[in-house]
Amino acid sequence: MLSRRGFGRLMSAALAARVMVPGGLMGQMSGAAETGPQFSVMMWTLNKRGSFEENLERVAQAGYRHVELVGEFTRWSEADWTRILARMQALKITVDATSGIKAGFADLAGGDTFVAELKGFIPTVQRLGCGQIILLSGKRIEGAAPGVQRRASVETLKRAADVLSAAGLTGVIEPIDRLENPSIYLDGVTEAFEIVRAVGSPKVKVLYDLYHEQRGLGNLMEKLEKNIDEVGLIHVADVPGRHEPGTGEINFQNVYKKLAELHYRGVIAMEFYPTGDVVETLRKAREEALRG
């Protein structure tokens, strides 16, 4: 079993052993598979702290080499694309995951729409050099028979898996707690893991958002332990307030220790509102994760 100190050494090695290759993070992670997790920042959480490019600089200064997006690129002109991608390359920052599919995979009548939108989105994802697409379930259908939306989710995601596989990408399905989104269908990782296992493809995994799961259902580490093989991405923020670890009720030291024991080698993305200086808060969060 890997010790906490060993976990820190592995994660440090992962950051030091980056290999920038075409195809984005998936190529990098193949080189880091034997070392440990990598770290990323969800850019939308910094929107009120400055422009996208200013925040890229801050993320780099804090020691991160990956970012995640929620569709910021839809507002970029061609000149913006050229300038921002060049700046990211200069900073040695890549996009490890992005959302951008509006259709939900749990819509009983929406399988065709979801798959068509996914196909249309892939060229943008590939232009970003991104390896993972964040997928949401869409709304809960009031009055629907038990199990109907789950079956629809499985069937739609099986079709999506074929599309993702052909493009060399992975989809990660994200549950959202119903305090934040009362109408969402998928609101917890337990069902998400069941759906992913029923899909049965390595191209469809679960985004385990510790903030959403703690708010809605809790019992974070047992679910990690039982399902780590199906975790494709982890998001970090404390409860309440969605601020950095240490500001709320989640014991992140224990969470990171558990991830070390389970040999997690995916991405850990910071998705919180920093309460202090952006660079220092992000750096501290990364270093605390390294120490475990």
Side-chain angles (χ1 to χ4, degrees):
M1 183 176 293
L2 193 64
S3 69
R4 288 165 55 189
R5 181 174 297 177
F7 183 48
R9 288 197 298 268
L10 289 180
M11 294 167 84
S12 297
L15 293 172
R18 297 184 301 273
V19 179
M20 304 302 293
V21 297
L25 181 66
M26 295 302 103
Q28 297 174 47
M29 288 184 67
S30 65
E34 298 305 318
T35 53
Q38 300 188 30
F39 295 95
S40 184
V41 176
M42 181 58 90
M43 292 295 286
W44 74 264
T45 61
L46 306 180
N47 284 348
K48 293 183 179 180
R49 298 300 193 96
S51 70
F52 184 85
E53 289 167 89
E54 288 170 341
N55 287 326
L56 275 179
E57 300 281 347
R58 293 184 176 107
V59 167
Q61 290 171 28
Y64 292 80
R65 293 296 175 259
H66 310 297
V67 295
E68 298 185 357
L69 307 179
V70 292
E72 291 88 343
F73 42 83
T74 62
R75 300 184 295 275
W76 295 351
S77 66
E78 190 59 31
D80 291 335
W81 271 95
T82 300
R83 186 184 67 257
I84 291 171
L85 290 182
R87 190 59 192 142
M88 290 176 67
Q89 184 176 23
L91 293 170
K92 298 183 179 179
I93 288 179
T94 64
V95 180
D96 68 276
T98 183
S99 61
I101 304 293
K102 294 181 180 179
F105 56 76
D107 186 345
L108 299 184
D112 290 343
T113 300
F114 181 88
V115 172
E117 190 175 350
L118 176 62
K119 289 179 179 178
F121 188 47
I122 283 176
T124 298
V125 175
Q126 292 174 327
R127 187 177 187 185
L128 289 167
C130 177
Q132 293 194 116
I133 303 176
I134 299 170
L135 306 173
L136 299 176
S137 67
K139 293 184 178 182
R140 182 175 68 257
I141 300 173
E142 297 296 339
V148 169
Q149 283 193 268
R150 182 185 297 197
R151 289 193 292 273
S153 297
V154 171
E155 293 308 310
T156 297
L157 290 170
K158 282 182 177 179
R159 295 174 61 189
D162 292 336
V163 175
L164 291 162
S165 181
L169 302 172
T170 300
V172 286
I173 65 173
E174 181 178 17
I176 306 291
D177 71 85
R178 288 183 181 162
L179 292 171
E180 179 165 313
N181 189 337
S183 65
I184 196 78
Y185 168 67
L186 187 62
D187 69 335
V189 297
T190 297
E191 183 172 6
F193 288 127
E194 292 170 352
I195 289 171
V196 164
R197 287 195 173 94
V199 172
S201 169
K203 294 301 181 180
V204 180
K205 296 291 185 180
V206 174
L207 193 172
Y208 197 132
D209 189 307
L210 298 166
Y211 171 81
H212 286 306
E213 193 66 18
Q214 176 66 13
R215 275 187 106 200
L217 298 163
N219 197 24
L220 301 179
M221 290 194 294
E222 184 177 354
K223 294 168 189 173
L224 276 175
E225 189 166 29
K226 290 181 176 179
N227 301 286
I228 193 65
D229 290 345
E230 302 299 343
V231 176
L233 177 60
I234 289 175
H235 279 183
V236 166
D238 216 335
V239 177
R242 192 187 276 280
H243 297 302
E244 64 269 18
T247 59
E249 66 194 32
I250 300 177
N251 189 326
F252 279 96
Q253 183 178 24
N254 283 345
V255 171
Y256 294 139
K257 178 181 177 182
K258 178 59 65 177
L259 289 171
E261 292 172 354
L262 298 172
H263 305 287
Y264 176 71
R265 292 185 174 92
V267 172
I268 297 173
M270 306 302 173
E271 192 181 19
F272 57 72
Y273 304 120
T275 58
D277 177 80
V278 172
V279 174
E280 291 307 313
T281 304
L282 287 174
R283 179 183 289 124
K284 181 180 178 183
R286 182 178 59 83
E287 290 175 349
E288 288 176 346
L290 286 169
R291 290 195 299 269

